Amino acid sequence: MSALLEVSGVSKAFGGVRAVDDASLSVEEGSITALIGPNGAGKSTLFNCISGFLRPDRGQIALAGRRIERLPPHAIVHAGLARTFQTARALTRLTVLDNVRLAAPSHPGECLRNLIARRGAVRRREAQVTEEAFRLLRLVRLEDYADALAGTLSGGQRKLLDLARILIASPRLILLDEPMAGVNPALREELLAHVLDLRATRGITFLVIEHDLAFVMRASDHVFVMAEGRVLTEGTPEEVRRDERVIDAYLGTDV
Amino acid sequence: MTVLSSGEFWAFVGVMAGIYTLFTLGLQIQFGLAGLLNFGQVAFMAVGAYTMAILVVKQGWSMWLAAPLGVAAAALAGLLVGLPALRLRGDYFAIVTIAFSEIVRWVATNEDGLTGGSQGTINLRGEGVAAQYNSQWERFQGWLGEQLGIRSKDVVMLLVVWSVALLLTWLAGRLARTPWGRVLRGIREDEDAVSSLGKPVFRYRLQALVLGAALAGLAGLFYAWQFSFFSPDDFQPLITFFGWMILILGGVGRMWAVPVGALLFGFLFAATRFFDFPPFSYLDSADRAYVRLLVIGLLIIGLVLVRPQGLLGRRQEMVLE
C-alpha cells in the first residue's frame, strides 16, 4: 500500500488563532482512516484545507503524488477527491434526483454553448447520468424519493443523499465530516455498511472525522488524533485507545 | 374616465408591461435561478439604451447594427461588474450593484459630451440641435403596421414587444430545465455544496449575471424606441425595485411568472392613476402621485401576505430548509 493523500506541515491561522499548526498525516490507498480529536482540535479546518475551501498558510497537500493545495474546490473534485459536510448539504429546492444528477462529472449540458451546438451529446449524457443517478439512489435506498424535493428528507436521509451524490463522480478518496452526527441508530448501521462496502467493491479510500468511537473502532484501519491544531499521535484503533495522551486530550488534562 | 376606455392607453400599459417583462426576466435568471441579489439592473438597461442612441446619433450607424451592440454593451457591463464583484458574498454583491447603477446614472448626467447630460438624448448633438435616434425604428414600425393592416403604432409596438418578451420567456424557461440551469439552481441553494461537487461556481454566476444584463439592455432598447427620447432621470434605482416587485408578485424561480407579474403590476400602476374620487380628490395632484405609490405598496404587501410564493410560485418551496 502507498499513500494516496499526503499532508505535510500544513498550518492555517485565523487572526491569532492557529487552527491548524504544522499538521502532517498520510492516508493509505484503500484504507479507512479516522481523524479524531476534541472539539476545536482543527479537524474541520484541516478538511477545508484538503478540499480547497481554505488555502493553507504553509505546507503541502498531495493527492496521488499531485500537489493540490492551491487548487480551487471544484478542481480538487476533478482530481479524484470528494467530501461531505458536517451537516448534510442537500440542495433543498431541487429534487433528490437532480441533487445527484447535478454532481455528474463532464456533462456537456452544463455548458451554454453545447446546449445549442451539441444537443445530441447533451441528451445522450443526460440519459446516462439519469440512469447512473437512479442506480446510486437505489444503492442508498432513496429511489422512492427521487422526485421529492431534497428539503423534505430527514437529516439521516440527507447524509445518504450526500453520499450518493459524490459517488456519481467516482472519487478515489472520500472525506467524510462526522457522517454519524445527527443520524438515528438504524441509519448509522446502514451508513457504516455503505462505507465498508464501497471500499470493498470500488476500492474507495476514506478519511473520516468522527466522534462516534464505535464507528472508529469498527471501521477504521488507522487513526490520527488531533489536539490544538497538531497531530498528537497515530496508530491502529487499539493502540490509540490505550494511549494516555489521547485520553488526556479528550478529558482536557495537560499532556 | 374616458382614458380608461381608450385602446391606446391600454396598449401603452401593455407595452410597458412587455418592457418590464424583459427587464425582470433578467432578474429572474440572476436571482430566481442563480440566487444573485442584483439591485442595479437599471444600469444595464441604461447602458443598452445609451449605447444604441449614441451609435446612431454620433456615429451615424444603422439602428439595426447599433441595437445588437447596445445589448452587447449591457452584457459587457455585466461582465465588468461581475468579474470583481461576484467574488463577494451575497449582500456585498448587492451593495456593489446598486452603487454601480448610481454611478452609471451620474456619469450619464455629467458627461454631457457623451450622453447629452441631464437634458437627455435630445442634446446628443450638443445644445440647440434636436438629436433624434428613432427615425429608423419608426419607419420599421410603420412598415410592419402596413403589412399587418394595423393603424395604431402603439398596437404595433405592443405586438413587437410581447412577441420578443414571450419568445425569450419561453427560451429562459427551457434554459432553466437544462443541466446548466440545474447547476445554477444548485448554486442558489448552497454554493459551497455545488463547488464541492466539482462545479466552477464563479463562472456560472458570471454567466447568469451577463445573461440578465443583456436582457436589461434589450429592455433599454425598447424603452428608448417607445419614448423616442430619454434622459438619465429615466434610470432611477426605483426602476430596479419595480422589477423586484414584479418578480415577487409573479413568483421567484418560475420564468412564466415574470410576464404574469409584469401585467399585474402594470395594471395596478395604471389603475391607480385614476384615483380622482374621494378621498383622493381632496389632495392636489402632486400629493396624489405619492398616495398612488403608497396604495400600490399596500396592495403588494396584501398580495404577498395572501400568497407569499407569488402568483405562480410553489408554496412548498417557501417552507423548506
Side-chain angles (χ1 to χ4, degrees):
Chain A
M1 290 213 288
S2 60
L4 178 59
L5 178 74
E6 194 80 56
V7 175
S8 27
V10 166
S11 297
K12 180 74 193 176
F14 301 106
V17 182
R18 308 183 91 173
V20 175
D21 189 4
D22 196 25
S24 300
L25 57 83
S26 71
V27 176
E28 299 296 319
E29 174 129 44
S31 72
I32 297 175
T33 300
L35 181 58
I36 64 170
N39 289 325
K43 307 182 296 294
S44 285
T45 304
L46 185 59
F47 256 35
N48 283 335
C49 288
I50 297 171
S51 55
F53 283 92
L54 291 173
R55 188 165 287 185
D57 301 330
R58 263 191 309 281
Q60 298 179 5
I61 301 167
L63 179 70
R66 182 180 163 207
R67 296 274 294 275
I68 58 166
E69 74 269 8
R70 297 197 161 274
L71 297 180
H74 66 88
I76 291 177
V77 178
H78 296 168
L81 187 155
R83 71 165 295 178
T84 63
F85 295 88
Q86 205 167 333
T87 45
R89 302 286 275 270
L91 306 167
T92 50
R93 287 181 295 171
L94 268 61
T95 63
V96 169
L97 179 64
D98 272 348
N99 264 266
V100 183
R101 288 198 290 196
L102 180 145
S106 48
H107 194 320
E110 289 174 0
C111 171
L112 277 177
R113 201 174 339 114
N114 292 337
L115 293 174
I116 301 157
R118 297 178 55 205
R119 293 168 67 167
V122 170
R123 214 173 311 124
R124 276 193 301 279
R125 177 70 177 137
E126 182 70 358
Q128 218 175 41
V129 164
T130 304
E131 196 180 317
E132 175 71 10
F134 268 113
R135 224 171 48 72
L136 289 168
L137 286 176
R138 267 195 298 279
L139 179 75
V140 297
R141 293 196 286 165
L142 286 177
E143 76 269 28
D144 291 344
Y145 301 93
D147 294 325
L149 295 181
T152 61
L153 297 183
S154 74
Q157 288 173 323
R158 291 184 196 200
K159 293 241 172 181
L160 289 170
L161 176 60
D162 271 16
L163 187 64
R165 201 165 66 173
I166 53 178
L167 287 175
I168 202 168
S170 316
R172 294 179 70 181
L173 171 65
I174 294 179
L175 270 53
L176 298 176
D177 195 346
E178 296 198 29
M180 297 293 143
V183 178
N184 71 52
L187 275 183
R188 284 184 181 209
E189 282 302 316
E190 194 177 329
L191 262 170
L192 174 63
H194 282 310
V195 169
L196 293 172
D197 182 59
L198 286 168
R199 174 178 60 171
T201 58
R202 304 189 185 205
I204 298 175
T205 306
F206 286 89
L207 176 61
V208 188
I209 294 180
E210 189 49 71
H211 286 299
D212 180 53
L213 287 181
F215 174 91
V216 174
M217 293 301 152
R218 282 173 66 190
S220 62
D221 314 305
H222 202 80
V223 182
F224 286 89
V225 185
M226 279 186 84
E228 292 168 0
R230 293 164 174 278
V231 175
L232 192 68
T233 182
E234 63 170 297
T236 63
E238 204 46 47
E239 285 166 2
V240 165
R241 190 160 67 165
R242 286 196 301 262
D243 195 316
E244 283 294 322
R245 290 174 301 170
V246 176
I247 297 160
D248 287 344
Y250 267 99
L251 296 177
T253 325
D254 287 336
V255 178
Chain B
M1 297 291 257
T2 48
V3 188
L4 274 181
S5 55
S6 125
E8 277 192 7
F9 171 71
W10 287 111
F12 173 79
V13 172
V15 168
M16 289 313 286
I19 293 172
Y20 270 108
T21 297
L22 291 169
F23 183 77
T24 310
L25 205 53
L27 288 178
Q28 184 73 287
I29 289 174
Q30 291 164 350
F31 182 71
L33 275 188
L36 293 175
L37 280 174
N38 173 8
F39 288 155
Q41 180 75 332
V42 71
F44 305 116
M45 185 182 182
V47 169
Y50 268 110
T51 304
M52 186 270 294
I54 290 167
L55 288 177
V56 169
V57 174
K58 298 203 162 204
Q59 307 296 317
W61 287 24
S62 158
M63 181 207 77
W64 297 108
L65 201 60
L69 272 161
V71 176
L76 184 69
L79 187 72
L80 291 178
V81 174
L83 277 174
L86 278 176
R87 296 177 194 281
L88 303 169
R89 296 252 160 178
D91 321 357
Y92 299 99
F93 174 75
I95 294 168
V96 172
T97 57
I98 197 168
F100 174 69
S101 90
E102 283 296 84
I103 289 168
V104 166
R105 189 166 68 89
W106 283 105
V107 167
T109 309
N110 291 298
E111 282 296 319
D112 299 41
L114 181 68
T115 62
S118 57
Q119 298 298 305
T121 52
I122 196 110
N123 257 3
L124 268 174
R125 282 188 205 282
E127 303 257 354
V129 198
Q132 186 50 268
Y133 58 79
N134 224 15
S135 50
Q136 251 180 313
W137 175 259
E138 275 162 9
R139 234 175 302 149
F140 167 71
Q141 236 177 326
W143 172 82
L144 192 64
E146 259 173 50
Q147 301 298 310
L148 298 171
I150 298 168
R151 277 262 190 72
S152 158
K153 280 194 167 183
D154 292 304
V155 175
V156 173
M157 188 71 174
L158 186 71
L159 288 175
V160 176
V161 172
W162 275 98
S163 306
V164 174
L166 291 178
L167 175 73
L168 288 174
T169 304
W170 176 75
L171 272 175
R174 296 231 10 209
L175 200 55
R177 288 192 301 275
T178 62
W180 180 83
R182 184 166 63 208
V183 176
L184 282 189
R185 283 182 289 131
I187 291 169
R188 175 190 72 195
E189 300 302 308
D190 186 337
E191 59 176 285
D192 281 346
V194 172
S195 96
S196 81
L197 297 174
K199 311 298 165 191
V201 167
F202 178 77
R203 195 187 307 159
Y204 283 99
R205 297 174 75 185
L206 194 59
Q207 287 173 347
L209 181 66
V210 168
L211 268 182
L215 282 166
L218 185 61
L221 296 183
F222 280 111
Y223 188 88
W225 290 328
Q226 167 71 3
F227 291 99
S228 317
F229 161 82
F230 60 88
S231 75
D233 232 25
D234 290 318
F235 304 108
Q236 298 277 356
L238 188 62
I239 305 295
T240 301
F241 292 101
F242 284 164
W244 277 95
M245 284 187 209
I246 289 167
L247 195 65
I248 290 163
L249 275 179
V252 172
R254 299 267 175 291
M255 292 303 160
W256 287 103
V258 174
V260 174
L263 282 170
L264 178 66
F265 181 78
F267 177 78
L268 285 179
F269 211 69
T272 50
R273 248 182 195 199
F274 306 102
F275 282 175
D276 47 5
F277 45 85
F280 301 106
S281 48
Y282 303 141
L283 302 163
D284 65 34
S285 62
D287 287 342
R288 236 185 279 166
Y290 287 111
V291 170
R292 182 180 160 208
L293 283 174
L294 210 131
V295 170
I296 293 170
L298 285 173
L299 279 171
I300 288 175
I301 290 172
L303 274 167
V304 167
L305 280 175
V306 179
R307 268 190 87 78
Q309 71 272 42
L311 290 171
L312 297 191
R314 279 198 210 143
R315 180 105 195 186
Q316 193 191 17
E317 293 189 356
M318 302 286 296
V319 295
L320 293 176
E321 275 175 23

